[in-house]
Amino acid sequence: MGGDAGPAVTVPAARAMAGRADLILVGDPERIAEWLPGEVPGLRIHPAREALTPADSLADALRRKPDSSMRQALLRVAAGEADAVVSGGDTAALMGLARSLVTMVPGIERPAICKDLQGVSGPFWMLDLGANLDCTAEQLRQFALMGNTLARHVGGIAEPRVALLNIGTEAGKGPAVIGEAARLFEADPSIRYVGYVEGNVLFSNAADVVVADGFAGNIALKAIEGAAYMAGHLLHRWLEDLGPLEQAGLALARGKLRSLRHALNPQRYNGASFVGLSGVVVKSHGSADVEGFQSAIEEAILEVEGRIPGHLAAEFH
């Protein structure tokens, strides 16, 4: 685990996940030690004396901070010493360093940010969520194949249904590049294309993989995150406003209410993948708590166990 998320979050999360995988904490050993009770089986430290800050430019990340924790973590993957990196650092810096140090899977033009989201009857994978604001139709087709790989080998879906995010479901709707991508999807036998999908039905089991350019995908993701926080806020406020008699009645359903709150907690779904790289790189949200960072670690473990980079290399060979 590298990048520049604080040890108050990353270290407790790593301690909780140390039994799931062998983990390396990359950063200032003294700061990390403050959050460790001593030696933890399955957990070790790799020193890095620098940290990237929000004020650092991409040039700083790429050239001027060779001992940043983010760079040192990615170098562990590039050297074969680690299988994955989980970082809470700046997205642009992480993407730039990952492309430079870990490199791309041959045949893939650009990496995409992909996240699995929980729908009404199971997860679906959505990409790109912000790495590429402008995409060609061919790049969107590659994203479909990358999402397919995750849905198959992480989600266990034998024949994922793939849709394109659009402003309508009718032919002719949306930008020209979306129509061109739809024709490429239809012509590719390895893509089970089911047509366009609108934002209001993303969670209704319309598709297992939803493809978008990074501009539309990022807006959709931020809207989803905002709606989840708002739903949790409204539930909390509603519960606070109940009278004593209503509170007594709700005591019978307290377990179900706790489950609902847990389901609405965005931290459960933290962790987005940089798909298309020759190693596993997972971006944790900058505001993630310990539970959220654990979720990001779990996502990285699932992709390593699913051998995602290897399957991508075979797909694009």
Side-chain angles (χ1 to χ4, degrees):
M1 276 146 304
D4 300 284
V9 170
T10 58
V11 178
R15 285 173 54 193
M17 297 296 290
R20 187 78 169 76
D22 292 328
L23 303 177
I24 306 169
L25 285 164
V26 182
D28 185 328
E30 286 77 21
R31 291 188 67 204
I32 293 171
E34 293 175 10
W35 296 92
L36 280 178
E39 194 169 314
V40 178
L43 195 61
R44 63 186 176 91
I45 299 172
H46 182 90
R49 299 295 179 178
E50 295 178 305
L52 296 176
T53 71
D56 288 321
S57 66
L58 186 56
D60 291 329
L62 292 172
R63 292 187 289 275
R64 299 192 189 105
K65 287 198 170 181
D67 198 32
S68 71
S69 54
M70 186 184 289
R71 174 185 283 275
Q72 288 302 317
L74 289 165
L75 282 172
R76 307 285 68 75
V77 172
E81 298 172 16
D83 297 304
V85 166
V86 181
S87 174
D90 179 75
T91 302
L94 183 62
M95 180 65 82
L97 279 170
R99 291 191 68 172
S100 172
L101 301 174
V102 180
T103 72
M104 298 288 297
V105 169
I108 295 179
E109 294 180 16
R110 295 183 182 179
I113 300 175
C114 184
K115 184 175 179 61
D116 63 305
L117 301 165
Q118 187 64 38
V120 295
S121 59
F124 67 96
W125 283 258
M126 189 168 172
L127 72 170
D128 176 31
L129 298 178
N132 308 281
L133 301 188
D134 294 307
C135 302
T136 66
E138 169 58 21
Q139 287 161 356
L140 292 173
R141 185 191 72 86
Q142 292 182 13
F143 295 168
L145 295 175
M146 291 148 65
N148 255 354
T149 299
L150 281 167
R152 283 196 186 110
H153 299 287
V154 173
I157 302 171
E159 294 184 25
R161 299 162 299 155
V162 180
L164 271 164
L165 184 64
N166 202 357
I167 59 171
T169 58
E170 305 89 348
K173 281 286 185 77
V177 68
I178 295 295
E180 186 182 349
R183 290 186 286 275
L184 291 180
F185 285 25
E186 289 169 343
D188 192 328
S190 60
I191 297 174
R192 185 184 171 193
Y193 180 56
V194 296
Y196 296 144
V197 65
E198 295 180 77
N200 62 325
V201 295
L202 283 173
F203 295 89
S204 65
N205 195 36
D208 303 302
V209 176
V210 177
V211 177
D213 62 60
F215 184 82
N218 187 267
I219 289 175
L221 177 65
K222 296 294 173 58
I224 290 165
E225 290 175 344
Y229 276 111
M230 188 61 186
H233 168 74
L234 289 174
L235 176 62
H236 181 72
R237 193 170 68 181
W238 178 75
L239 290 172
E240 284 185 332
D241 290 341
L242 294 178
L245 191 59
E246 293 166 317
Q247 290 279 4
L250 276 176
L252 298 172
R254 198 167 302 279
K256 290 188 179 295
L257 284 171
R258 278 197 296 266
S259 297
L260 177 59
R261 273 183 168 175
H262 186 59
L264 291 173
N265 182 5
Q267 299 290 347
R268 291 183 61 217
Y269 311 107
N270 181 49
S273 308
F274 287 3
V275 193
L277 298 165
S278 58
V280 173
V281 177
V282 173
K283 172 68 174 72
S284 171
H285 202 290
S287 62
D289 60 16
V290 173
E291 181 184 5
F293 207 82
Q294 285 180 234
S295 298
I297 297 171
E298 178 68 22
E299 176 61 31
I301 292 171
L302 290 173
E303 291 187 28
V304 170
E305 291 176 343
R307 305 193 306 278
I308 296 304
H311 287 298
L312 286 174
E315 179 74 51
F316 285 88
H317 179 66

